[in-house]
Amino acid sequence: MTHMEMKNPEQKHVVISTRKPLQNSMIQQTSADIMPSNDERLENAKLSSGRRKGRRRGKGAKVEQLQEPKLDLSMGSHDSSKGLVFHRRPGYGQLGRKCMVKANHFLAQVPDTDLSQYSVTITPEVASRKINKSIMAQLVKLHRDTDLGMRLPVYDGKKVLYTAGLLPFVSKEFAVRLAEEDEGTGVAKERDFKVTIKFVGITSMVQLREFLAGKQVDTPHEIIRIFDIVLNQLAAQRYVSVGRCLYSPDIKNPQQLGGGLQSWQGFYKSIRPTQMGLSLNIDMSSTAFIDPLPVIDFVAQLLGKDVFSRPLSDADSVKVKKALRGVKVEVTHRGDVRRKYRISGLTSQPTRELIFPVDEQMNMKSVVEYFQEMYGFTIRYSHLPCLQVGNQRKVNYLPMEACKIIEGQRYTKGLTDKQITSLLKVTCQRPRDRETDILQTINQNGYELDPYAKEFGITVDEKLASVEARVLPAPWLKYHDTGKEKEYLPQVGQWNMTNKKVINGSTVNYWACINFSRSVQESTVSGFCHQLVQMCKISGMEFNPEPVIPIHSARPDQVKKALKHVYSAAANKLGGKELELLIAILPDNNGSLYGDLKRICDTDLGLISQCCLTKNVYKISNQYLANVSLKINVKTGGRNTVLLDALSSGIPLVSDIPTIIFGADVTHPETGDDSCPSIAAVVASQDWPEVTKYAGLVCAQAHRQELIQDLYKTWKDSQGGTVTGGMIRELLLSFKAATGKKPLRIIFYRDGVSEGQFYQVLLYELDAIRKACASLEPSYQPPVTFVIVQKRHHTRLFASNHNDRSSIDKSGNILPGTVVDSKICHPSEFDFYLCSHAGIQGTSRPAHYHVLWDENNFTADEIQSLTNNLCYTYARCTRSVSLVPPAYYAHLAAYRARFYMEPDKPENAIPNCIRTSNESCVRPLPALNEKVKNVMFYC
């Protein structure tokens, strides 16, 4: 089907305009090309007003002018690089019970005086920011009282210097001598540098004032960055700086994580523009540092075994080499002489076998003899390899026992599951404790005594911002009429399935079970399956009590063979009918088994699978079985619950006309991985008006590429004709196939985008949505609302009174449904914080929603209420969740798709490898089987 013919009665509601794909909107087009004519405006206004009749408005909400969102195309405008203007706040929400909360934002007041900017050139050039800062610190120390005219400048560590007033020169060259230690030889030496400071211009505060006043001007990133640098200048001298976080072992005692690592507490710090003015956002943070141990003790902890009497195996050596490469150590065998080195590798031979030339005549000496004769140091553990330090041209050998790890080195490699668990225990703080630590941090930082803050006239409030919030009501949920409880109103964000049946129970007639766990007897597996089937039936599903074939036992390393065997055996027995569900029992520690099984089932066999760990098979709980039954129901095409309002046409801007809700996310490889592709996932609702079932699609794209490349794409067929496709187009078509209607409104929740990428992502992805729609019908351009969802931010909300039981949940967190859209939010754009879930442990993190584009003209109440209500429809549990489900599902789908990659195949051996714009090669993921595409396989 190439076109989506409209023959249903909803056709009269469609808003047709001359919206066009945005790709070329920056060039050559005038606003007349995009903006609708007066006739179209009138028609749009009529249709929109008809659509909005009877919708409740919050008291005092700002009355909006109905108009087409602007595409600002004037090249001489306030931002010549931009063709889109983010949606402005349409007013404030009024729905819900009003309350006060505290936020970890501290008002930062800055003067109106302009700042001076200077360029810095250091010769010879230095790559290290740390060394650059040391050079500048030395310069300021020597010349502040004279040549710098008593000014205390701040420096970004690269090319720019800022001052609170003019320096007494336009350009000046300084000579600076700096003592630094060579990491290869450990020898301290002095270096001479020339530093040229040259006036660039004045940074005006006018733009910041206008921006904070809510005027439509660009975000003054440069000015905000300057104040960030000012408040970071002193802190960076006291603490270890990691991005925007600062750490120290003195804030709290370091906690052991195992494997030679410890956690240091620190804090995140950032200046943010808000409605109350500039705000300093402070939050607690912890990360892993290498324990400053003697190297031999670190190795013993890393390997978890005795290394003092036994040589290292080859596998151990690889592990040690990987962990120690790049780590800085100091020698301990020379008394007070503590030279410092950076480890470059590990010798392949033990120390006792190492010899090296001592002179140009190539006279050789053993490392053991050398240390004994030169330093009187007896090497006791000569069975261990030596550390290699220095460069390849001149390698130095150091015995492990003669070296100690230098304090303050962050561990940047991957953590084990145990270490992650230990780190999470340290970072998990109850709200009251976290608030206390944040207040203690702001006091310890002492901004009133900070010489840099004083120089630039910055004062920071020491009280948490007090913010007006509202607690939105929970939605009524609809369950099946055959259950005792047909409708239910959740209390404090959670409920259970007692006396309830799923609203649409699926039917599973043909299922099988594979047991990959050697420790579980077949009778135990059989008993578990029986109880699971019973729970599915109690939940409202139709489920055949007997498997198609007897339970099959298999070894974990035979996963492909076992799956093919069970699939074909079941097919033979069923005579043409197909297996509908596979239950797989996995060992608790199953390595690559889970991923291999999901890849084969999802892409090759088209078989829905449900994995259960051995520990849950032995210790069966009704709660566990109930949760698994919910997952099985949605994976096999059922629905667990729907919003009662959805069935009574009571959801504003969803129930009135066919509406599709998308969720999209891109997951990137782990830190340190510099080649694996990023995975993009898009899900879309396939039912209307219920908006509960979501089909999902996934694709691989270039390493760390944030823009979703496959939203819309074209290619040439074998006859040279142009073929259109992509994820949006495919999901629009599947919506039409499932509902018999085409979507007349699009709501797009996009996860995983940082603030610096908002504009780029909106421009590219909104254009792709437009093109995908136009490829189905030239005039088909449903109005789009594009919302960014962020969880990786540092705003935390606390109850105003931790002792008031009516304002907190069991965990001490703010109540689910708490929404904030004032004071700490953006001065003019449409954003809000929503804590939609009940806390379990630690401090709840609200989700931050930013409506960048809105052609559907949502009021604040409408989008906040819709988002909160959707959080109660998450399929995998009976709790409201912290992230709007379409975005959550996209994250799950992207996570699942990472298992589809087969890392053992070299990319250049793959014939259908896709070349990206930067000529890197991305192997496409194996296609999802058609049988799993339209169900919630990722749940």
Side-chain angles (χ1 to χ4, degrees):
M1 179 172 71
T2 55
H3 293 275
M4 297 169 75
E5 284 95 10
M6 274 286 299
K7 291 200 171 134
N8 43 5
E10 284 81 4
Q11 185 161 19
K12 62 180 182 290
H13 291 288
V14 70
V15 180
I16 303 234
S17 77
T18 52
R19 293 189 201 100
K20 293 181 181 177
L22 303 174
Q23 190 181 43
N24 300 318
S25 68
M26 314 272 286
I27 323 159
Q28 293 176 344
Q29 290 184 342
T30 65
S31 54
D33 290 320
I34 303 263
M35 297 299 286
S37 65
N38 289 333
D39 290 341
E40 285 169 322
R41 276 182 188 280
L42 187 61
E43 185 61 21
N44 286 352
K46 282 178 187 169
L47 291 169
S48 275
S49 62
R51 201 168 65 214
R52 298 172 69 87
K53 272 181 189 168
R55 279 169 43 208
R56 194 174 45 180
R57 282 190 169 277
K59 189 175 63 173
K62 182 178 170 187
V63 179
E64 302 145 41
Q65 295 297 312
L66 284 165
Q67 59 183 27
E68 205 66 16
K70 296 187 194 74
L71 287 182
D72 178 10
L73 304 175
S74 56
M75 286 307 182
S77 69
H78 59 261
D79 186 348
S80 59
S81 68
K82 293 191 175 181
L84 297 177
V85 177
F86 293 159
H87 192 63
R88 287 177 71 81
R89 190 180 301 282
Y92 295 94
Q94 304 294 321
L95 190 65
R97 178 173 60 80
K98 286 187 169 62
C99 63
M100 296 303 291
V101 295
K102 290 177 284 187
N104 58 340
H105 285 245
F106 301 86
L107 181 63
Q109 292 181 318
V110 297
D112 286 343
T113 50
D114 296 339
L115 305 177
S116 305
Q117 181 181 333
Y118 293 82
S119 68
V120 175
T121 309
I122 296 176
T123 315
E125 199 171 331
V126 179
S128 163
R129 266 189 176 196
K130 190 178 177 183
I131 294 173
N132 281 341
K133 286 183 176 181
S134 298
I135 294 166
M136 186 57 69
Q138 184 72 355
L139 187 154
V140 172
K141 185 179 172 184
L142 294 172
H143 300 283
R144 183 185 176 189
D145 294 349
T146 52
D147 296 309
L148 298 181
M150 298 299 291
R151 290 278 172 216
L152 183 61
V154 294
Y155 174 49
D156 72 349
K158 289 183 177 177
K159 300 280 185 186
V160 188
L161 186 88
Y162 299 100
T163 59
L166 289 168
L167 294 174
F169 56 81
V170 174
S171 180
K172 196 171 183 72
E173 191 177 280
F174 298 87
V176 176
R177 178 166 290 177
L178 191 71
E180 55 176 337
E181 204 163 76
D182 187 288
E183 292 174 350
T185 62
V187 179
K189 57 182 181 181
E190 291 187 331
R191 287 179 70 189
D192 290 319
F193 297 94
K194 264 195 326 184
V195 182
T196 305
I197 298 176
K198 189 176 181 180
F199 179 70
V200 172
I202 297 293
T203 302
S204 169
M205 304 297 275
V206 172
Q207 190 186 355
L208 177 66
R209 285 199 300 274
E210 289 188 349
F211 180 74
L212 293 175
K215 293 182 181 172
Q216 187 86 50
V217 294
D218 290 344
T219 308
H221 293 295
E222 183 64 20
I223 302 168
I224 293 166
R225 181 171 163 269
I226 295 169
F227 292 128
D228 250 333
I229 292 168
V230 171
L231 293 182
N232 205 51
Q233 209 78 23
L234 188 64
Q237 295 165 24
R238 292 181 187 170
Y239 305 107
V240 176
S241 187
V242 180
R244 288 185 176 272
C245 293
L246 298 139
Y247 299 94
S248 167
D250 303 325
I251 295 175
K252 266 191 182 169
N253 286 333
Q255 302 291 308
Q256 295 304 313
L257 299 178
L261 303 183
Q262 55 180 203
S263 76
W264 283 18
Q265 190 166 53
F267 58 94
Y268 166 91
K269 181 183 64 61
S270 172
I271 287 272
R272 297 187 60 79
T274 66
Q275 290 169 35
M276 68 178 184
L278 283 184
S279 148
L280 182 64
N281 181 203
I282 299 259
D283 191 25
M284 303 318 293
S285 174
S286 290
T287 195
F289 278 76
I290 302 171
D291 205 341
L293 297 165
V295 170
I296 198 163
D297 293 340
F298 172 82
V299 170
Q301 284 196 25
L302 175 73
L303 300 176
K305 60 170 74 168
D306 170 27
V307 298
F308 298 95
S309 56
R310 296 179 184 174
L312 302 184
S313 67
D314 289 347
D316 287 343
S317 291
V318 169
K319 192 173 180 182
V320 171
K321 186 176 180 179
K322 189 178 174 185
L324 285 176
R325 187 183 284 129
V327 173
K328 288 170 91 172
V329 294
E330 61 181 9
V331 295
T332 57
H333 65 287
R334 299 183 61 184
D336 292 337
V337 179
R338 291 274 178 140
R339 282 190 175 168
K340 297 177 175 63
Y341 299 88
R342 192 181 292 276
I343 299 170
S344 58
L346 211 61
T347 60
S348 52
Q349 300 156 282
T351 303
R352 60 175 167 241
E353 294 176 20
L354 288 173
I355 57 172
F356 65 99
V358 288
D359 53 32
E360 290 177 4
Q361 284 72 45
M362 300 301 284
N363 290 312
M364 308 302 281
K365 186 170 287 222
S366 75
V367 168
V368 174
E369 286 172 351
Y370 177 80
F371 273 80
Q372 184 67 58
E373 292 170 14
M374 193 74 178
Y375 307 113
F377 182 81
T378 304
I379 296 174
R380 295 165 59 200
Y381 306 111
S382 60
H383 61 283
L384 293 174
C386 265
L387 304 176
Q388 288 178 317
V389 298
N391 53 41
Q392 292 300 315
R393 285 183 290 107
K394 189 184 178 188
V395 176
N396 290 330
Y397 298 137
L398 290 175
M400 285 186 184
E401 62 204 87
C403 297
K404 180 178 183 290
I405 292 168
I406 295 169
E407 187 180 64
Q409 297 179 78
R410 184 179 169 230
Y411 186 73
T412 55
K413 301 169 180 84
L415 299 176
T416 64
D417 288 345
K418 265 190 179 178
Q419 288 167 338
I420 291 168
T421 303
S422 302
L423 187 58
L424 287 173
K425 276 183 186 170
V426 173
T427 55
C428 184
Q429 287 183 293
R430 285 192 172 275
R432 190 194 294 257
D433 299 333
R434 196 179 196 100
E435 184 186 323
T436 302
D437 281 357
I438 288 168
L439 287 167
Q440 197 175 326
T441 299
I442 202 95
N443 280 321
Q444 280 174 350
N445 288 353
Y447 292 112
E448 73 283 359
L449 301 173
D450 183 331
Y452 296 97
K454 274 186 176 177
E455 174 82 8
F456 283 78
I458 302 172
T459 58
V460 179
D461 198 343
E462 292 193 346
K463 288 180 185 170
L464 291 156
S466 192
V467 186
E468 190 174 282
R470 291 165 291 114
V471 181
L472 300 177
W476 280 88
L477 301 177
K478 180 74 179 87
Y479 283 94
H480 200 275
D481 287 340
T482 56
K484 281 186 185 175
E485 294 182 354
K486 302 171 181 60
E487 297 166 5
Y488 190 77
L489 182 66
Q491 305 299 312
V492 199
Q494 50 193 322
W495 64 102
N496 59 45
M497 287 297 292
T498 307
N499 296 328
K500 302 174 195 69
K501 291 188 184 293
V502 294
I503 189 160
N504 299 115
S506 64
T507 301
V508 177
N509 288 317
Y510 311 119
W511 62 278
C513 176
I514 302 181
N515 176 20
F516 287 104
S517 181
R518 288 182 205 165
S519 62
V520 187
Q521 299 294 319
E522 191 175 311
S523 58
T524 308
V525 175
S526 181
F528 171 79
C529 287
H530 175 72
Q531 289 194 52
L532 180 57
V533 167
Q534 286 304 111
M535 182 59 79
C536 288
K537 290 166 91 168
I538 290 166
S539 299
M541 294 175 65
E542 286 187 31
F543 213 115
N544 187 338
E546 295 301 322
V548 174
I549 57 172
I551 292 165
H552 180 71
S553 293
R555 285 171 30 197
D557 59 350
Q558 300 284 316
V559 57
K560 189 168 187 175
K561 184 180 172 186
L563 289 170
K564 292 279 173 76
H565 166 77
V566 167
Y567 188 76
S568 58
N572 289 338
K573 183 141 186 207
L574 292 170
K577 290 174 184 168
E578 292 190 331
L579 202 57
E580 294 163 337
L581 175 69
L582 174 76
I583 297 169
I585 312 299
L586 309 187
D588 292 337
N589 297 311
N590 55 70
S592 66
L593 173 60
Y594 176 84
D596 292 340
L597 184 145
K598 290 296 183 184
R599 185 185 72 250
I600 295 163
C601 287
D602 294 353
T603 66
D604 186 5
L605 302 177
L607 177 57
I608 293 299
S609 57
Q610 177 59 54
C611 296
C612 304
L613 294 177
T614 297
K615 63 182 180 184
N616 296 318
V617 173
Y618 274 126
K619 189 183 175 185
I620 305 173
S621 77
N622 280 339
Q623 184 62 60
Y624 173 75
L625 292 175
N627 283 347
V628 173
S629 69
L630 291 177
K631 291 173 71 171
I632 290 173
N633 187 47
V634 295
K635 286 180 183 181
T636 51
R639 276 197 208 91
N640 294 337
T641 187
V642 299
L643 298 170
L644 189 62
D645 278 355
L647 300 179
S648 60
S649 301
I651 305 178
L653 289 176
V654 173
S655 302
D656 55 346
I657 56 173
T659 299
I660 187 168
I661 301 180
F662 284 91
D665 190 19
V666 178
T667 64
H668 302 292
E670 289 179 358
T671 308
D673 185 321
D674 57 1
S675 61
C676 266
S678 293
I679 303 287
V682 181
V683 303
S685 57
Q686 299 294 291
D687 52 350
W688 179 81
E690 296 91 343
V691 290
T692 305
K693 282 185 179 181
Y694 290 82
L697 296 172
V698 291
C699 71
Q701 55 189 43
H703 177 74
R704 302 220 158 263
Q705 167 64 263
E706 185 55 54
L707 307 177
I708 302 177
Q709 301 299 295
D710 277 9
L711 288 182
Y712 173 76
K713 56 184 182 179
T714 60
W715 64 95
K716 298 289 182 186
D717 62 18
S718 53
Q719 281 78 45
T722 301
V723 183
T724 56
M727 297 158 111
I728 298 290
R729 190 177 194 277
E730 191 169 337
L731 289 166
L732 289 171
L733 287 169
S734 61
F735 180 97
K736 174 70 161 61
T739 64
K741 300 172 172 65
K742 72 175 181 181
L744 303 182
R745 179 185 295 118
I746 292 174
I747 301 168
F748 196 93
Y749 286 103
R750 176 66 155 89
D751 192 11
V753 181
S754 63
E755 284 174 3
Q757 297 170 310
F758 278 10
Y759 178 77
Q760 194 184 9
V761 166
L762 176 66
L763 185 68
Y764 184 89
E765 296 184 4
L766 186 58
D767 183 49
I769 294 167
R770 289 263 193 273
K771 286 174 174 170
C773 292
S775 75
L776 295 162
E777 280 180 26
S779 63
Y780 176 56
Q781 287 296 320
V784 178
T785 298
F786 195 103
V787 186
I788 298 283
V789 190
Q790 291 175 303
K791 281 286 281 182
R792 291 188 178 183
H793 61 82
H794 291 270
T795 292
R796 297 289 184 278
L797 302 174
F798 303 99
S800 229
N801 177 3
H802 291 287
N803 297 316
D804 178 6
R805 295 276 170 178
S806 67
S807 66
I808 55 173
D809 61 20
K810 283 181 189 173
S811 67
N813 279 289
I814 55 172
L815 294 170
T818 302
V819 65
V820 168
D821 61 2
S822 63
K823 201 162 182 180
I824 59 168
C825 291
H826 195 281
S828 61
E829 290 168 14
F830 190 6
D831 71 325
F832 58 92
Y833 291 95
L834 171 65
C835 183
S836 50
H837 66 299
I840 299 174
Q841 57 180 3
T843 304
S844 296
R845 189 198 307 247
H848 187 203
Y849 296 89
H850 208 119
V851 184
L852 295 187
W853 190 258
D854 183 23
E855 294 167 337
N856 291 298
N857 296 307
F858 275 95
T859 64
D861 277 334
E862 285 164 351
I863 193 70
Q864 290 165 11
S865 185
L866 170 65
T867 303
N868 185 56
N869 291 351
L870 287 173
C871 290
Y872 285 78
T873 65
Y874 185 63
R876 305 208 310 172
C877 59
T878 50
R879 297 179 71 92
S880 60
V881 288
S882 62
L883 193 67
V884 70
Y888 208 143
Y889 294 146
H891 180 77
L892 292 178
Y895 180 79
R896 167 69 61 84
R898 204 156 280 288
F899 294 123
Y900 300 163
M901 294 190 296
E902 298 180 54
D904 52 332
K905 293 182 183 176
E907 286 181 351
N908 56 15
I910 306 297
N912 57 348
C913 173
I914 296 168
R915 294 273 164 200
T916 62
S917 54
N918 63 358
E919 285 303 302
S920 61
C921 187
V922 178
R923 186 190 318 133
L925 297 174
L928 282 170
N929 191 290
E930 291 296 326
K931 286 179 276 184
V932 302
K933 253 185 195 176
N934 293 321
V935 294
M936 296 168 75
F937 67 91
Y938 44 79
C939 273

